[in-house]
Amino acid sequence: MFYFRLNSFSRLLISLTLAAGLVSLAGGARAQDKRQNAPGEFDFYVLSLSWSPSFCEEAAERGRSGGRSNIQCEGRPYSFVVHGLWPQYESGFPEYCQRPSPRLNRNIVSSMLDLMPAPGLIFNEWDKHGTCSGLDGRNYFETIRKARAAIKIPPEYLELSQAKTVAPGEVEEAFIKANPGLSNAAVSVTCNRTRLSEVRICLSKDLQFRACEELERRSCRRDQVTMPPIRGG
């Protein structure tokens, strides 16, 4: 009798586990866009602008040497640099849409170093995000340049010589003031534990400001963060 009850209980546990697994799989299927990772099939872009001094301080704390941190942090002074231009779905995003990715011409890499100051960053962005744009390498990076040219950096952040404590909303408002047509629904600030990391701006495929709910869900939740001063000179 005891063996039968134990068996029944085991069967119940198995049934519940299978049911939970099916629910989880169904939820995952809903979360994934049906166009997942199809090149050129996406809804809008996110232009991500990284506050370079924060990146460099974090790299120094981790003892990172060489590579992107060495090039970006020991050269000329940088304020906001382009982290990337990321194709997005209304929910979620594609990545690594061609494996292996088409080879990126070195001349293209050299031409982008004023905006993205490390070859490793440029290659990575092409592999992960550029291959999802539906554009070839030259046109993708030309689109990045056009997107960056459409954004004006607020003047108070261009030559920041001392550390500045800011509220994330204050940075958003500064970008909105400097860029007519930009709204709170189209811009977001990200941070780590103490520092401002990035400003992210949603753009349509023709590079017009547009609202995006996904951006807000990934935004900084801290009341205040630090913007380290610009390095080098």
Side-chain angles (χ1 to χ4, degrees):
M1 189 69 168
F2 175 76
Y3 177 78
F4 175 77
R5 286 180 178 173
L6 183 61
N7 239 9
S8 299
F9 182 67
S10 297
R11 286 198 298 271
L12 177 61
L13 282 178
I14 291 170
S15 297
L16 290 173
T17 301
L18 287 172
L22 288 172
V23 170
S24 177
L25 286 172
R30 283 195 298 270
Q32 188 176 67
D33 193 281
K34 64 183 179 182
R35 302 163 295 174
Q36 190 70 33
N37 299 339
E41 297 293 326
F42 63 96
D43 298 313
F44 63 96
Y45 287 114
V46 166
L47 177 66
S48 181
L49 302 174
S50 170
W51 181 245
S52 183
S54 291
F55 170 82
C56 293
E57 288 203 1
E58 185 174 346
E61 289 172 357
R62 292 180 178 178
R64 192 182 304 168
S65 62
R68 175 184 168 192
S69 59
N70 184 54
I71 296 170
Q72 182 172 332
C73 302
E74 295 180 10
R76 68 181 180 84
Y78 292 101
S79 54
F80 281 104
V81 299
V82 174
H83 181 176
L85 183 67
W86 305 335
Q88 302 281 298
Y89 305 128
E90 295 297 345
S91 178
F93 54 89
E95 59 181 0
Y96 299 109
C97 294
Q98 296 183 62
R99 291 179 182 269
S101 60
R103 185 175 180 179
L104 194 59
N105 189 294
R106 290 274 178 178
N107 291 334
I108 296 174
V109 176
S110 298
S111 74
M112 292 302 296
L113 289 173
D114 60 323
L115 299 184
M116 306 173 74
L121 169 64
I122 296 168
F123 282 114
N124 182 71
E125 290 301 301
W126 168 243
D127 291 345
K128 186 173 182 179
H129 301 289
T131 57
C132 298
S133 68
L135 303 172
D136 63 24
R138 185 167 301 280
N139 283 318
Y140 174 66
F141 285 99
E142 285 179 357
T143 302
I144 289 182
R145 187 167 293 281
K146 289 176 183 176
R148 174 60 185 85
I151 306 301
K152 183 177 181 181
I153 304 299
E156 58 265 41
Y157 304 141
L158 289 174
E159 298 181 3
L160 193 66
S161 59
Q162 296 182 331
K164 184 179 180 68
T165 300
V166 295
E170 175 187 341
V171 178
E172 289 184 16
E173 289 301 323
F175 270 82
I176 290 169
K177 182 178 179 181
N179 294 275
L182 182 62
S183 70
N184 290 101
V187 60
S188 179
V189 168
T190 68
C191 62
N192 62 15
R193 290 185 299 106
T194 59
R195 303 185 188 98
L196 182 141
S197 298
E198 297 184 346
V199 172
R200 296 176 178 176
I201 298 171
C202 290
L203 301 167
S204 63
K205 287 185 173 183
D206 60 354
L207 305 182
Q208 302 300 308
F209 299 131
R210 61 99 81 189
C212 52
E213 295 181 5
E214 280 276 297
L215 204 68
E216 180 58 29
R217 287 197 281 270
R218 297 179 235 156
S219 64
C220 180
R221 301 301 179 191
R222 299 192 176 277
D223 292 332
Q224 290 187 321
V225 289
T226 300
M227 295 180 72
I230 293 173
R231 302 160 65 97

